[in-house]
Amino acid sequence: MSSLTDATSDPPTGSTGVVTDVPQTKGPRQTLTLVAVLLAVFVVPTSISGTGVALPSIATDLHAGPGPVQWVANAFNVAFACFTLVWGSVADIIGRVKAFALGAAVYTVASIGSVFAANIHLLDVARAFAGLGGAAIFACGSAILSTVFSGPARAKAFALFGTVAGIGISAGPSIAGALVQSVGWRWVFVLHAVALAVVLALVPVISRNVQEERREGARIDVPGSIVFVVAMFLLTCGIVQGSQWGWGSAGVLGLFAGSIVSLVVFTAVEKRREQPMLDLALLANRRFLALCLVPIAGSFGFVTMLTYLPSYLTAAGGHGTGTAGLIMILLTAPMLICPLLAAKLVSRGIPAMRIIYVSIVCLVVGDLGLLLFTPDVSVLVVALPMLVTGAGMALAAGLVDGEALEMVAPEQAGMAAGFLNTLRLGSEAIAVAVYASLLATTVSSKIDEGIQAYPYDGSTARLAGDVSVGDISGQTAQVPADRQSGFTDFLVDTYDSAFHQVLWILAAVCLVLLVVIAAMLRRPHARQA
């Protein structure tokens, strides 16, 4: 990490309409700034992936039903998705360090509120505020790194950004599980509060190290922010509730329709604002927009597997939960190595875009390689496809953030980072929901085709729903004892076949995104002034 301190920020350009605060940059301050940002960044994905482990204990302790308990996780995700772009725009106005510190403070207070929540509704509210703070950390943290570091040091800083985020999402369940089993679920949120208290203590160091570039005379775009938050709230709620209400239900379709209408209104509002929350001209930057599509490929090719491959390993593969967790290390291990490897390759003259292309190709090849999975496959057979899939996510992690922010003016870095992270989290939610829907639909179709061979008296719709989430062994009691073995094999084969069909679709989505990104990057596009 010490090599990151050799480079300093670019000197202020004195651009018209931009206020620049010039700090006296020193190496140790750069390192502490990096540590603070990475620690805050680690907390957010850890919370996203780890909170689910604590939900059963929360439900028992607070005597809560499944709906309110699920919103402990959903409230965070919805708030995060709604406010990431807003925070990015606010950071360009009030300063990235102030916005980052405010977000970390909100997250800290919300975590303390989660620790002392007396009922599930208070916990849901606290988690929503935590998501609000997490949005500021991600949007402003990457913007701070783009200001503090330049050249090879910037590439290494963003590589660490991607590495830490990947470690957080991978280690979150293990950390939360250990805390829940040893000292209780409230300590999950104690850990978040303690980590962010350390970050807040380092804010004065960050402030002395960051060269702030703010839009002079700009004001927060309140109308645009409100309409955008409404649009994202309706969209994310539609995604969250789709699996519960049904994707074709009136409620879900109404949420999606309301989201589309709100986005149309948002576009109209932003065109009329002198200081818009999202400068629509930013979307005319083909290279920036193309780079923003790269995380979407990671969402479909990697995040879906990170979320649902453990269910396949336990349901179809027959592995225990602990064994499945060990096997998943093959998918997540590249996050420890590849981001820094990508930065090193860039420092040695390999074009960053070439590495990004390779990352998407790895997602396509890796997902196709995962077709080798069968209920009795040896781990050695699927180890390489899992590693390749993980590398597809890891090579671009952090690197794409740095490259995207290079495409925009310094005073728009917060807005650009907010837009990029909005697409990142939004696409993750959509990808996971699409995977679940496709798997459930395919499982239902296959069960309807083959269930006639068994004397099954229960609801086939309920059976399909249970199988699609990996609940297979509990369904055999519905058939006579002498048919249970064959019925279990039928359900496993159904789940396995549906899994493979969805893998083809995921690989196809990544391939289409690769073609679209390549087409958008064919023509050189100068950095916007």
Side-chain angles (χ1 to χ4, degrees):
M1 187 181 296
S2 60
S3 62
L4 291 170
T5 64
D6 297 334
T8 58
S9 301
D10 295 326
T13 60
S15 303
T16 303
V18 178
V19 177
T20 304
D21 298 334
V22 184
Q24 293 182 350
T25 308
K26 294 184 179 180
R29 291 180 183 173
Q30 282 188 316
T31 301
L32 286 175
T33 297
L34 180 65
V35 169
V37 171
L38 294 184
L39 180 57
V41 165
F42 177 77
V43 171
V44 177
T46 301
S47 178
I48 292 174
S49 66
T51 303
V53 176
L55 294 184
S57 296
I58 291 172
T60 301
D61 189 28
L62 298 182
H63 307 288
V69 167
Q70 193 59 45
W71 273 95
V72 174
N74 291 343
F76 183 97
N77 295 336
V78 170
F80 192 111
C82 289
F83 287 96
T84 303
L85 181 57
V86 175
W87 274 113
S89 178
V90 169
D92 290 335
I93 298 173
I94 70 173
R96 291 150 204 175
V97 177
K98 288 182 180 178
F100 177 82
L102 183 57
V106 169
Y107 202 133
T108 303
V109 172
S111 297
I112 295 173
S114 299
V115 172
F116 294 102
N119 58 64
I120 191 63
H121 301 295
L122 290 176
L123 181 58
D124 287 344
V125 171
R127 291 293 294 159
F129 276 99
L132 176 65
I137 289 172
F138 252 68
C140 305
S142 55
I144 288 172
L145 294 185
S146 72
T147 302
V148 173
F149 299 100
S150 62
R154 173 187 276 189
K156 292 179 181 179
F158 274 105
L160 287 170
F161 184 94
T163 299
V164 168
I167 293 173
I169 200 77
S170 303
S174 299
I175 295 173
L179 289 172
V180 170
Q181 291 182 5
S182 58
V183 290
W185 64 266
R186 295 182 188 272
W187 284 88
V188 174
F189 305 113
V190 170
L191 180 63
H192 298 165
V194 171
L196 290 173
V198 174
V199 172
L200 289 172
L202 292 173
V203 166
V205 177
I206 303 175
S207 183
R208 290 193 297 269
N209 193 39
V210 172
Q211 174 184 302
E212 292 280 24
E213 297 190 53
R214 302 188 295 270
R215 288 180 281 167
E216 185 178 8
R219 296 181 179 179
I220 296 175
D221 178 12
V222 175
S225 299
I226 292 175
V227 176
F228 182 79
V229 167
V230 170
M232 291 303 299
F233 178 78
L234 295 175
L235 176 61
T236 50
C237 283
I239 294 171
V240 167
Q241 297 299 131
S243 59
Q244 300 179 28
W245 295 350
W247 293 100
S249 67
V252 171
L253 293 178
L255 289 171
F256 287 150
S259 175
I260 294 172
V261 171
S262 298
L263 288 174
V264 171
V265 174
F266 172 73
T267 302
V269 169
E270 296 303 273
K271 286 181 178 179
R272 290 170 172 78
R273 301 287 295 179
E274 292 184 4
Q275 298 289 344
M277 181 186 72
L278 176 62
D279 186 354
L280 298 180
L282 189 67
L283 305 186
N285 185 331
R286 289 162 58 97
R287 294 185 67 82
F288 170 74
L289 195 57
L291 288 166
C292 288
L293 297 180
V294 175
I296 299 178
S299 296
F300 279 90
F302 174 82
V303 175
T304 52
M305 290 297 98
L306 184 66
T307 305
Y308 286 108
L309 186 55
S311 297
Y312 179 90
L313 293 171
T314 55
H319 299 285
T321 304
T323 303
L326 291 175
I327 295 173
M328 287 297 294
I329 293 176
L330 292 168
L331 190 69
T332 57
M335 294 300 303
L336 304 176
I337 302 170
C338 291
L340 292 174
L341 174 61
K344 194 171 188 65
L345 292 174
V346 171
S347 69
R348 293 187 175 183
I350 304 297
M353 283 311 309
R354 186 176 300 172
I355 297 174
I356 290 173
Y357 281 137
V358 170
S359 74
I360 305 177
V361 170
C362 284
L363 289 172
V364 176
V365 174
D367 283 353
L368 291 176
L370 294 179
L371 292 168
L372 294 172
F373 263 108
T374 61
D376 56 354
V377 69
S378 168
V379 174
L380 294 177
V381 174
V382 294
L384 182 59
M386 292 181 71
L387 289 170
V388 171
T389 303
M393 181 68 173
L395 284 171
L399 180 62
V400 70
D401 296 69
E403 289 298 304
L405 296 184
E406 278 284 339
M407 299 295 109
V408 303
E411 66 272 16
Q412 289 186 318
M415 179 190 299
F419 180 78
L420 174 62
N421 283 296
T422 297
L423 286 187
R424 173 179 281 128
L425 187 73
S427 66
E428 288 179 3
I430 292 172
V432 169
V434 167
Y435 178 98
S437 180
L438 287 173
L439 189 68
T441 301
T442 307
V443 166
S444 179
S445 175
K446 292 184 178 298
I447 284 179
D448 288 341
E449 292 175 2
I451 196 67
Q452 294 83 3
Y454 298 92
Y456 182 77
D457 296 330
S459 167
T460 56
R462 172 71 179 275
L463 176 64
D466 290 340
V467 172
S468 65
V469 297
D471 183 5
I472 291 177
S473 59
Q475 309 306 314
T476 56
Q478 299 290 337
V479 299
D482 61 336
R483 302 295 303 276
Q484 288 182 0
S485 177
F487 188 62
T488 298
D489 291 341
F490 163 67
L491 296 182
V492 169
D493 291 342
T494 296
Y495 186 90
D496 177 65
S497 177
F499 174 77
H500 284 76
Q501 287 192 22
V502 175
L503 274 177
W504 279 107
I505 296 173
L506 297 179
V509 170
C510 293
L511 181 60
V512 169
L513 285 169
L514 174 61
V515 172
V516 171
I517 292 168
M520 294 178 69
L521 293 174
R522 284 182 63 185
R523 296 179 182 178
H525 194 94
R527 172 175 166 168
Q528 289 186 339

